[in-house]
Amino acid sequence: MYCECGYEKRYFKLKSLFDELKEESIKNKEELEKFRFGDQIVELQEENRKLKEEIESLKAKVPVNTRKVTDEQVIKIKELRSKGISYRKVAQEVGVSTCVVSRALNGVYDK
């Protein structure tokens, strides 16, 4: 049943406008969420930058572990071991640990 006064036309026009506004509102909410998360991303990036700077400053404060084995000791270790002397006896004679003997024989101290 049609209404002769044009209310039906206005109703559909208003409904169409309402639907368009509803879609636009949804899009605006999505854009707003992106913008809000964008601020969080910027904050996290700034925090990340500060942490990297702090790491670099701490690295500068870490003492460098200097080599405590001389080239002469490495040569002597290799000579003694080539004669068949045990790691323990080589370590005692040179004055280092058996771990250092192992490292020297495995080339850790070679230049």
Side-chain angles (χ1 to χ4, degrees), residues 2-8 10:
Y2 281 99
C3 178
E4 298 295 324
C5 56
Y7 288 120
E8 193 169 302
R10 281 195 269 169

Side-chain angles (χ1 to χ4, degrees), residues 27-111:
K27 288 179 185 176
N28 287 340
K29 282 182 183 178
E30 290 171 357
E31 289 297 317
L32 183 61
E33 287 297 314
K34 287 180 189 175
F35 183 73
R36 189 172 56 162
F37 286 126
D39 287 345
Q40 289 176 348
I41 290 170
V42 169
E43 289 173 11
L44 289 173
Q45 288 173 335
E46 180 63 21
E47 183 180 355
N48 190 20
R49 184 189 63 75
K50 287 179 182 177
L51 288 172
K52 284 181 179 179
E53 287 175 0
E54 186 176 348
I55 288 170
E56 289 304 315
S57 70
L58 291 173
K59 280 182 182 178
K61 294 178 183 177
V62 174
V64 178
N65 191 4
T66 58
R67 181 176 164 191
K68 296 174 181 73
V69 181
T70 65
D71 291 335
E72 292 79 21
Q73 286 175 313
V74 171
I75 292 168
K76 186 163 185 162
I77 289 169
K78 289 181 179 181
E79 287 174 359
L80 293 172
R81 185 64 186 144
S82 68
K83 293 178 183 174
I85 300 174
S86 71
Y87 277 47
R88 185 177 297 152
K89 294 226 181 198
V90 170
Q92 287 173 349
E93 189 165 327
V94 178
V96 295
S97 69
T98 55
C99 186
V100 170
V101 172
S102 175
R103 287 184 194 143
L105 294 171
N106 288 320
V108 172
Y109 301 117
D110 294 342
K111 291 183 179 181

